[in-house]
Amino acid sequence: MNDVRFAKSFKKLVEVNGNVQPGETVVIVTDFSMTDIARQLAVAVTAVDGIVSMCIMDQRTLDGQEPPKPIAAAMKEADVIYSPVQYSITHTIAMKEALKNGARAILMTAHNEEVLLSPALLKTDFQAQVPKCKALGEAFLKGNTVRLTSPKGTDLTFSTKGRGVNVLTNIPNPGELAPVPDIEVNVVPVTGSANGKLVIDASVPYLGIGILKEDIICIVKDGFITSMEGGEQAKFLKEKLDSYNDPNCFNVAELGVGMNPEARLTGNMLDDEGIVGTIHIGIGTSLTLGGEIVAPIHYDLIMWEPTIEIDGVVVQRNKEQLFYKPEESTK
C-alpha cells in the first residue's frame, strides 16, 4: 500500500471523523491481515499528538465474534477506537462496554484500497450531512409505527414505540459509533413486531455475497424471517444462517437508512449501507443498537428505492428526503 497515495484518507479519518485531540487515548484494534492500514492510522494519530496503542489479534472467523479479553479491556479505556479488521467487532459486548464508557468508535471493517480511495470517504462533507441525519432521527423518535414499501414488492410494518434512534453522522460523540464512510440513521423494531414481506435487490455485503444477481424474497412474521427464497445467493445465505442453529439469526434487528450522497454500490459493506436511496434491514443481534436480541451474527440486507412511512406519513420516497426542510434546520 502506497503511503503517499492514502495519506489524505488517513488524515481525514483521524482529524475529521475521529476528531482526535492532543493527549487523547486512541486504541487501534486490528488483525494480521490489516496491519498496513493500522500502522498508517497510527502515524496519522501521532501527527496530531494522540496517544496511540495498536492491538493485533488473530483474525476472527465471523462477524460479531468477541475480541480477546486484553483487547476488550484496552477498548474500555479508550477515548477513540479504530477497528480495521476483516470481520466486524461492532456488534460485540466489548464494543458495547467501550461505548458505555464514553469511547468514540470509528468502524473500519474490511477497509481496503477501494474504500480508502472512494468518493464516499474522500469527497463527502460529513459535517454537511449532520442536520439531515438529525432530522430523520427526530422523525423516527416522534413516531410509533414504520411501514416500508418498494417497487419490487417490499411491504413491511413494525413498531418503534419506546425505541431510541442511532444517528451515525460519522463524526461521533462519546458513546457513539461511526461506520465510515457509511452515514446512516437506524432504529431497532420492537422485538416481535415486524410483519410482511421484504424484497432485497441491492446487496448482501457479507459472506462474500456482495451485489445481488437475483432478488432475495423474505417473509417476516412476528419479528422473524420465516422464509427466504431466490437464486443461488439466497440459498447460500439461508444455509449459512441455518448453520448457526439459532433462531435469533432470523430476527429483524434494524432498519438503517443510507445518508451518504457520494456512496455507490460496490459490494463493500461500508460503501453500500450508506447509499442515499437505499435502506438496509439488519438481521440477528440487536443488543448493540438498542434492542434485546443476541445472535451469533448481524448481517444487513440492502434494497433500492424504499418508501418509508412513519405513522402513515411518507418521510422518504427513493432518494427524496421529505423529512428534511433546510429552512427549518437553520432556525
Side-chain angles (χ1 to χ4, degrees):
M1 183 177 285
N2 186 317
D3 290 358
V4 174
R5 189 177 172 211
F6 298 98
K8 184 177 179 181
S9 303
F10 291 112
K11 179 179 175 68
K12 191 168 187 179
L13 284 162
V14 169
E15 297 183 15
V16 176
N17 301 109
N19 191 26
V20 176
Q21 300 299 305
E24 284 196 306
T25 299
V26 179
V27 172
I28 300 172
V29 181
T30 191
D31 58 47
F32 291 110
S33 71
M34 303 279 280
T35 53
D36 282 350
I37 288 176
R39 185 165 53 250
Q40 290 185 75
L41 266 175
V43 170
V45 170
T46 58
V48 298
D49 294 325
I51 301 169
V52 63
S53 298
M54 189 163 72
C55 301
I56 305 175
M57 62 183 179
D58 291 337
Q59 185 171 303
R60 307 290 88 182
T61 57
L62 51 86
D63 295 293
Q65 203 169 21
E66 294 290 332
K69 289 182 180 180
I71 292 180
M75 292 167 62
K76 196 171 181 179
E77 299 300 318
D79 295 308
V80 185
I81 298 167
Y82 288 87
S83 62
V85 290
Q86 284 294 337
Y87 291 95
S88 172
I89 60 169
T90 304
H91 300 281
T92 60
I93 300 300
M95 184 64 76
K96 184 177 176 65
E97 290 298 311
L99 295 174
K100 185 179 177 180
N101 220 35
R104 312 191 301 276
I106 308 298
L107 311 175
M108 296 176 63
T109 304
H111 267 224
N112 54 27
E113 293 187 5
E114 184 177 14
V115 175
L116 289 168
L117 295 177
S118 69
L121 175 58
L122 290 177
K123 291 186 178 182
T124 298
D125 183 344
F126 290 100
Q127 193 64 49
Q129 307 313 312
V130 171
K132 295 180 182 179
C133 292
K134 288 184 175 179
L136 180 55
E138 289 170 3
F140 278 124
L141 285 174
K142 291 176 181 177
N144 292 317
T145 302
V146 174
R147 183 185 180 196
L148 308 174
T149 56
S150 78
K152 287 287 189 73
T154 288
D155 194 342
L156 186 78
T157 303
F158 56 84
S159 171
T160 57
K161 187 175 182 179
R163 291 300 202 201
V165 176
N166 300 300
V167 179
L168 307 183
T169 65
N170 277 338
I171 306 175
N173 294 313
E176 293 181 348
L177 299 167
V180 181
D182 159 37
I183 305 174
E184 68 173 78
V185 175
N186 67 58
V187 63
V188 177
V190 172
T191 301
S193 69
N195 285 281
K197 179 181 179 182
L198 290 168
V199 181
I200 309 303
D201 60 350
S203 77
V204 178
Y206 299 82
L207 301 169
I209 297 172
I211 297 172
L212 292 177
K213 300 174 183 176
E214 298 179 80
D215 297 346
I216 298 176
I217 301 169
C218 304
I219 302 300
V220 178
K221 184 176 181 181
D222 296 335
F224 290 80
I225 294 173
T226 57
S227 72
M228 182 178 289
E229 298 180 352
E232 289 301 313
Q233 290 168 310
K235 180 181 178 181
F236 174 76
L237 176 59
K238 183 162 189 310
E239 287 176 350
K240 291 295 291 187
L241 293 170
D242 285 337
S243 72
Y244 294 110
N245 197 30
D246 187 335
N248 284 342
C249 290
F250 294 92
N251 172 54
V252 176
E254 171 196 5
L255 162 64
V257 183
M259 299 291 288
N260 188 328
E262 300 292 343
R264 301 293 182 268
L265 193 71
T266 66
N268 291 318
M269 175 179 62
L270 296 180
D271 279 325
D272 292 6
E273 293 180 12
I275 299 170
V276 175
T278 70
I279 58 172
H280 52 274
I281 297 296
I283 59 174
T285 292
S286 66
L287 181 69
T288 47
L289 297 175
E292 306 82 21
I293 298 295
V294 176
I297 57 90
H298 179 98
Y299 297 151
D300 293 310
L301 317 179
I302 303 172
M303 53 176 278
W304 291 111
E305 300 183 315
T307 294
I308 305 170
E309 298 176 39
I310 301 176
D311 290 350
V313 177
V314 175
V315 296
Q316 181 164 331
R317 185 180 289 108
N318 194 0
K319 295 182 179 181
E320 188 180 8
Q321 298 174 323
L322 302 172
F323 56 84
Y324 179 63
K325 297 179 176 60
E327 66 276 7
E328 292 183 3
S329 70
T330 59
K331 292 179 181 179

